[in-house]
């Protein structure tokens, strides 16, 4: 199913629009390089997403027991506050993706934007003391976030987006060489 998103031509126009917005928003080349993680040697987006995902996952765990409403609300808010930097870092990587990766990336972004909307609605409900509604909205948000995360994982691990962007695997790295030979034997 994840591979089918790579062939989703209906995503081409939105993908091109997102790439154009990313280029315009992050016009200074030095800024793009910093946001892409060149100074660290790998993309920053995968690191940044751990904060909102972790906060929202913890809120959902705390929701399982009564009496944790305040902590769940605060964690939901922390996730909402941490999401914009993660989005910005994802945008910084986006225009460097190839067409198939951009298709997956735009569907990933749509799913995560929908999840973000559910968490924002959950936070609003929790602020109004509508805790049951907040919990339900959070669970829906986690489900949608799971879809977005699966697409992000596919983008990184199956499609190799951002892999070896600033460095190349060592030619004499025995583990890398072993894995490459083993993969080649499986293909034959």
């Amino acid at each position: 199913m994840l591979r089918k998103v790579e062939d989703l031509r209906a995503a081409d126009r939105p993908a091109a629009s997102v790439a154009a917005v990313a280029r315009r928003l992050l016009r200074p080349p030095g800024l793009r390089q910093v946001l892409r993680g060149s100074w660290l040697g790998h993309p920053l987006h995968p690191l940044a997403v751990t904060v909102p995902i972790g906060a929202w996952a913890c809120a959902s765990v705390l929701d399982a027991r009564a009496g944790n409403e305040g902590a769940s609300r605060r964690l939901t808010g922390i996730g909402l506050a941490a999401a914009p930097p993660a989005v910005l870092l994802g945008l910084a990587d986006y225009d460097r993706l190839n067409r198939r990766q951009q298709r997956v990336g735009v569907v990933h972004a749509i799913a995560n934007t929908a999840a973000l909307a559910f968490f924002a609605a959950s936070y609003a409900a929790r602020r109004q003391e509508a805790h049951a509604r907040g919990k339900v909205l959070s669970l829906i948000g986690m489900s949608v976030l799971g879809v977005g995360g699966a697409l992000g994982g596919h983008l990184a691990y199956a499609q190799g987006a951002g892999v070896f962007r600033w460095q190349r695997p060592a030619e004499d790295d025995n583990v890398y060489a072993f894995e490459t030979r083993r993969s080649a034997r499986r293909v034959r």
Side-chain angles (χ1 to χ4, degrees):
M1 188 160 120
L2 293 171
R3 289 236 182 253
K4 289 189 183 293
V5 179
E6 294 177 21
D7 298 322
L8 186 64
R9 293 187 179 177
D12 286 345
R13 186 173 289 169
S17 296
V18 171
V21 167
R23 280 189 299 276
R24 225 177 13 259
L25 184 65
L26 304 168
R27 186 161 291 165
L31 175 63
R32 272 202 303 259
Q33 285 300 98
V34 168
L35 294 177
R36 285 182 177 146
S38 63
W39 54 275
L40 187 59
H42 60 79
L44 294 173
H45 177 71
L47 298 172
V49 300
T50 62
V51 177
I53 291 170
W56 293 330
C58 289
S60 293
V61 168
L62 290 176
D63 281 343
R65 185 165 178 235
N68 293 322
E69 291 81 10
S72 291
R73 185 190 77 247
R74 286 188 294 279
L75 283 165
T76 302
I78 289 169
L80 290 170
V87 170
L88 180 65
L89 294 171
L91 276 174
D93 289 330
Y94 191 78
D95 72 324
R96 287 288 178 101
L97 303 177
N98 66 39
R99 179 172 297 201
R100 294 171 68 80
Q101 292 170 337
Q102 283 188 351
R103 289 173 181 163
V104 174
V106 78
V107 177
H108 164 73
I110 291 167
N112 288 339
T113 299
L116 185 60
F118 280 109
F119 287 113
S122 172
Y123 184 77
R126 293 169 190 272
R127 297 252 327 159
Q128 297 169 355
E129 302 293 324
H131 300 293
R133 186 171 69 220
K135 290 177 183 184
V136 169
L137 289 165
S138 185
L139 283 175
I140 295 169
M142 284 302 294
S143 299
V144 176
L145 188 66
V147 171
L151 288 162
H154 181 75
L155 188 61
Y157 299 113
Q159 291 186 302
V163 175
F164 299 122
R165 182 181 296 152
W166 295 287
Q167 70 279 74
R168 299 172 60 96
E171 296 292 334
D172 60 348
D173 182 348
N174 292 332
V175 173
Y176 176 76
F178 173 76
E179 289 297 322
T180 302
R181 284 192 305 272
R182 190 171 76 174
S183 295
R185 271 187 246 134
R186 271 188 264 150
V187 171
R188 291 183 206 162

